[in-house]
Amino acid sequence: MKDPIGGTSRVGSKGRNLEDLRRQNLSTVLSLVHANRSMTRADLTHATGLNRSTVATIVTELESLDLVTVSQPVDTKRVGRPSTVIGPSPRHIAVAVHPDKDAIAIGVVAMGGRVLREFRFDVEHAPSAVHTVNTLHALVRGLELSDGGTVLGIGIGVPGLVGARDGVVRVAPHLDWRDEPLVDMVASATGLPTWAANDATCAVVAEGQFGQGVDEENVVYLNGGAGGIGGGVIVGGQLLSGENGYSGELGHMLVNSDGGLCHCGAIGCLETEVNRDDLLGVVGLGDAEANLLEQRLRDAYGTDQDVTELVDRQLTYLGVAMRNIVNIFNPGVIVLGGFLGALRNATDARLQDDVERSALAGPASEVRIVSSTLEDNVLIGAGELVFRTILRDPTSASTGIMPGAERVAAG
Amino acid sequence: MKDPIGGTSRVGSKGRNLEDLRRQNLSTVLSLVHANRSMTRADLTHATGLNRSTVATIVTELESLDLVTVSQPVDTKRVGRPSTVIGPSPRHIAVAVHPDKDAIAIGVVAMGGRVLREFRFDVEHAPSAVHTVNTLHALVRGLELSDGGTVLGIGIGVPGLVGARDGVVRVAPHLDWRDEPLVDMVASATGLPTWAANDATCAVVAEGQFGQGVDEENVVYLNGGAGGIGGGVIVGGQLLSGENGYSGELGHMLVNSDGGLCHCGAIGCLETEVNRDDLLGVVGLGDAEANLLEQRLRDAYGTDQDVTELVDRQLTYLGVAMRNIVNIFNPGVIVLGGFLGALRNATDARLQDDVERSALAGPASEVRIVSSTLEDNVLIGAGELVFRTILRDPTSASTGIMPGAERVAAG
DNA sequence: CGATTTTGTTGTAATTCCAGTCTAAATCGC
DNA sequence: GCGATTTAGACTGGAATTACAACAAAATCG
């Protein structure tokens, strides 16, 4: 738009009308029910600050949209009339997918972050995009036959760079994917609206909503997987996605100028210096026994010299990354997943001490460093990608699903 | 709050009422006028998507709050009735302060990001907090006598870590400040509401609003100053402030494992490896001649061996930092200020090439690397800290200023 | 100089949230 | 066991905000 007076004017945020107001309140209430899994209507009144009668009409509308269930009050042993219980409806579900090096995981996720069913399809070699799509497609067809609810859409967590706007997987090194138009492929095959994002990004969304990041505004998630280290960040309660959804690649931060060559082409990246295979090797575990890593490390650390040296070296470099993260983001909590969580747990407070000593005193003083305890955080987060639309605008649920009409990607 | 059914419930975002709706629309309109410096009422109608009559009532209310001025239409040579021009009122002003190693800069800033007057008080040694407060206090008393408008408050950009909640300067190394309750000091002395933040944070706010970051959602600002390197980040259109306002300390990122010891205690920080004094020294300039640096570097780079070596080394390390930044934030633009801007300009596209080669292909492909051209970006940004309150809630202007009543800090 | 285009102004309608009143359903205290 | 107290749901009327439509005003166009 041209401004005849002051040059080019900027199109700012839009104005709001009464419809937006109602939409926002519907969204607030539904999001609360989603986040808390279950609340009484009185709780909602207090949490929102809205009038009782307003909450009543909003809940009624959400109920008529089949988004919440209203059930009888439960025995609270408190004075006064008991309040009706509002829960997320199990009718609207999302299908979450996590293709990885060794398996394709697919989950059926309901609102409230509940994984209703989970499937794991092991693969010998990293699955291709087509393989992933076919597996998913087959499962979705089966689900539709068995009924059980409305599939709102499909959310995919990919170990690689995913374009936020186009849903194209720019590169997924450990799957050997390049420029795969994943969202379009899935949407065409299944006819369902589809979203995709980096898997660690999905994980941090789940951690922020249901895991270690609950009640936190600033959360950094670092995942140590088979292939490498991924990152996801929430700042000010909002997901950090960047210009194209590529942000949060914390695994490719310099931690050692004299380090090895990373597959990304750079030297001394975090994921080159800190990796799972070396740890598994030194304690004599195979790829499939990664779940035993924490115990083995705890047993050998401090007694076995090879293990101690390796762990110390990796902790040092992990500490450098975390120092940077603390200085850059000033987060309230850093959540470690995968083998990074094992590394932390096996060495007690060492990482925390490290960071408090090396980072700037201000941001270092209040950061909590914890390990993830939320199972399936990638699947839950991928489900959140799907639910996000309906949480933002609950009235969109009424429009029904137009197969293939919507193909969206999210970072 | 306890949830009798599902454990502890979370207090989510509040519900909205009609008052909030109106507040939000007032805010939207005022923010547009502020950002564009001047718009017609018809422009506002298009930009907001609101009805003409609604915009009319909103503008009338803003005018009665003395926040905007309504003036006669100007000759646009376009068909149709010309629209009235709405501009930010010059009556509400902010006093912006930037204490630094060599001087205390103070500006009188009006809405629309206009620096009405600017003062510079040179100092021999880094000024103390008390010195800064006294200088500011004296100037504010003078301003009040000369009238000219309502001083909404005071915004301070500090080269150091500033607590977002308490307004305490945790540490400002180059000023030799530690745990100075700056906001409280200034608020008590002047009786005016006061905000403080890191100076690079102020700068990125200004760049995002009026400088190189206009129309960008993801902006990283890196400033090379006399003391060191500061950073500020905008993600998704929002200022990155972190848990306590300490975020954005990009100067303390590891760029060289074999580097020097930084005053922060760590090894090989960006601000240790890339610094102004070395550059000034190699081209034979004094501290006060920093403004000549760019030309000198351009002349000597590629011809003088010492200069070329030093510049190449600093570019390499700056490139490492920018690689990290690109991988972490996936920004649309990186703005370089101070001597970093000079370094970039003197070496043409080298930095851009460097980053495109070393960062991940996805985020690297679309980032612009530019130098700041906005004079006084710290002062303008410090002013924004003050205006932010009134931009968010224009009705708060009517309450008038209660001396000493409000003491707030912003990250 | 009238036709066209665009914008300001005004009164009405629709929608939303709130406040107050009455009713329902639990616990508390005797 | 039963009334008092407490808390929440249901309902109705009122205030505020935006949208809409019709008309007036002020420019350009032909």
Side-chain angles (χ1 to χ4, degrees), chain A residues 95-99 104 106 128-141 144 151-158 166-169 177 180-197 386 402-409:
Chain A
V95 175
V97 192
H98 185 204
I104 302 171
I106 304 182
S128 68
V130 170
H131 184 168
T132 306
V133 172
N134 283 340
T135 307
L136 173 62
H137 186 188
L139 194 119
V140 168
R141 282 282 101 69
E144 281 169 355
V151 178
L152 278 176
I154 295 173
I156 318 176
V158 183
D166 54 13
V168 171
V169 178
W177 294 7
E180 296 282 356
L182 185 64
V183 163
D184 275 351
M185 290 166 72
V186 170
S188 318
T190 63
L192 291 168
T194 305
W195 291 261
V386 177
M402 322 261 262
E406 205 186 347
R407 297 176 194 174
V408 205

Side-chain angles (χ1 to χ4, degrees), chain B residues 98-110:
Chain B
H98 185 204
D100 209 345
K101 218 173 169 179
D102 49 353
I104 301 171
I106 304 182
V108 179
V109 187

Side-chain angles (χ1 to χ4, degrees), chain B residues 387-400:
Chain B
F387 292 130
R388 209 160 50 166
T389 306
I390 212 168
L391 286 173
R392 269 209 270 260
D393 180 10
T395 57
S396 66
S398 62
T399 59

